Amino acid sequence: MLTLIAIVSTAGGAGRSTVTAHLAAQLAHAGRPVAVLELDAQNAIGALLGLRKTCETGVLSSGVAPDGWRAVLRDTPAGVPLLPSGRTSVANLSAMAQWLQGDVGGLRRQLTAVGLPDGARVLIDTQRLPDAIALAAVAAADLVLGIVPVTTAGYVTQPDLMTACDGRVQIVPNVAAANSSLNNDLLNLIQGRGGDAVVPVRIHRDIAVGMAAANGVTLAKAGDGSQAALDFIHLEAWLQRAMDVGEGSEGTARGGTRR
């Protein structure tokens, strides 16, 4: 059975795609079955996973129906199978939103039909909430990771994130700066507001992230010694613990545990 993990945010520039790519690569590096579904029209995650050419055709492209997703599945240098968004349009995005909202189980059914390995974690890169496609991904997901940048915008929009996800979100603070007193104050405010929903891992601002992107590699392969690489190792370990707890119980995972 697949585990669907929606990666969402309500703040612009939160780093959804970056976190999705590096977390997926770390899962693959750890030998875990993983794939990425890109529902973000920016069509940028392929480059973060090492592809040198932009994916012209994908799940959001004209003429690609959900039952044809297997044909657009791409292998990546990071070792993470990718269902890219491809080139899209407002009409295609609207049609995808309508399908997802009208067929609650459709996303899981079509991902299963793609033939991903049993037990794969499917990380779903979304557009900024309250986008309709992102909301549908949240509804379908077993676990929701909300990326909150440790900035004023991140703190201000945090309540919108928690409301949009109906209390199911696990918050990942991103681009934290340990040497900034203002950043540390904002982090404390984010943690105080989020309580137990805040993951006990923060992703630090690190030049290694930009260098990895520029070189078309991920931190799992080229981030030795960087703080961000270590952060993603810790985030992957936390995710595995959360999933192990969920899979040891009955029901469907919601917010990190199964009920």
Side-chain angles (χ1 to χ4, degrees):
M1 180 177 177
L2 303 178
T3 299
L4 309 189
I5 304 170
I7 314 294
V8 300
S9 78
T10 45
R16 294 182 307 275
S17 295
T18 299
V19 171
T20 300
H22 289 300
L23 178 56
Q26 185 56 47
L27 282 160
H29 187 70
R32 306 286 188 174
V34 61
V36 168
L37 169 64
E38 184 179 32
L39 296 180
D40 186 345
Q42 292 186 86
N43 195 32
I45 204 166
L48 294 172
L49 292 173
L51 294 178
R52 296 298 183 181
K53 293 184 178 180
T54 300
C55 297
E56 297 293 329
T57 305
V59 299
L60 298 180
S61 297
S62 179
V64 179
D67 58 7
W69 283 0
R70 183 191 290 266
V72 300
L73 184 67
R74 298 285 303 274
D75 291 327
T76 68
V80 178
L82 170 66
L83 287 165
S85 68
R87 301 293 185 185
T88 189
S89 67
V90 172
N92 292 342
L93 291 171
S94 178
M96 175 62 75
Q98 290 179 18
W99 171 63
L100 289 172
Q101 291 170 337
D103 186 353
V104 177
L107 186 58
R108 186 181 300 276
R109 184 173 64 253
Q110 296 303 333
L111 286 170
T112 300
V114 167
L116 299 173
D118 187 45
R121 284 39 169 141
V122 183
L123 275 60
I124 306 172
D125 185 29
T126 67
Q127 301 195 125
R128 179 179 170 183
L129 289 168
D131 172 74
I133 294 176
L135 288 171
V138 168
D142 299 303
L143 179 67
V144 182
L145 294 183
I147 311 304
V148 175
V150 187
T151 62
T152 302
Y155 176 67
V156 168
T157 61
Q158 184 183 354
D160 297 331
L161 173 67
M162 298 171 74
T163 299
C165 296
D166 195 25
R168 293 183 49 224
V169 67
Q170 300 290 299
I171 295 170
V172 180
N174 194 25
V175 293
N179 60 349
S180 166
S181 57
L182 174 60
N183 197 267
N184 287 331
D185 288 343
L186 285 168
L187 179 60
N188 288 333
L189 289 170
I190 290 168
Q191 291 173 325
R193 174 179 280 163
D196 291 341
V198 179
V199 172
V201 178
R202 70 192 72 172
I203 308 299
H204 287 83
R205 182 180 292 119
D206 192 331
I207 192 173
V209 176
M211 292 178 63
N215 292 318
V217 295
T218 62
L219 292 171
K221 292 188 176 181
D224 290 348
S226 79
Q227 179 61 58
L230 182 60
D231 295 338
F232 279 103
I233 290 173
H234 289 160
L235 182 59
E236 182 269 332
W238 173 86
L239 179 64
Q240 290 305 131
R241 289 193 297 271
M243 292 292 94
D244 288 345
V245 168
E247 290 164 358
S249 306
E250 296 182 354
T252 302
R254 289 291 180 263
T257 59
R258 290 183 185 263
R259 294 189 299 219

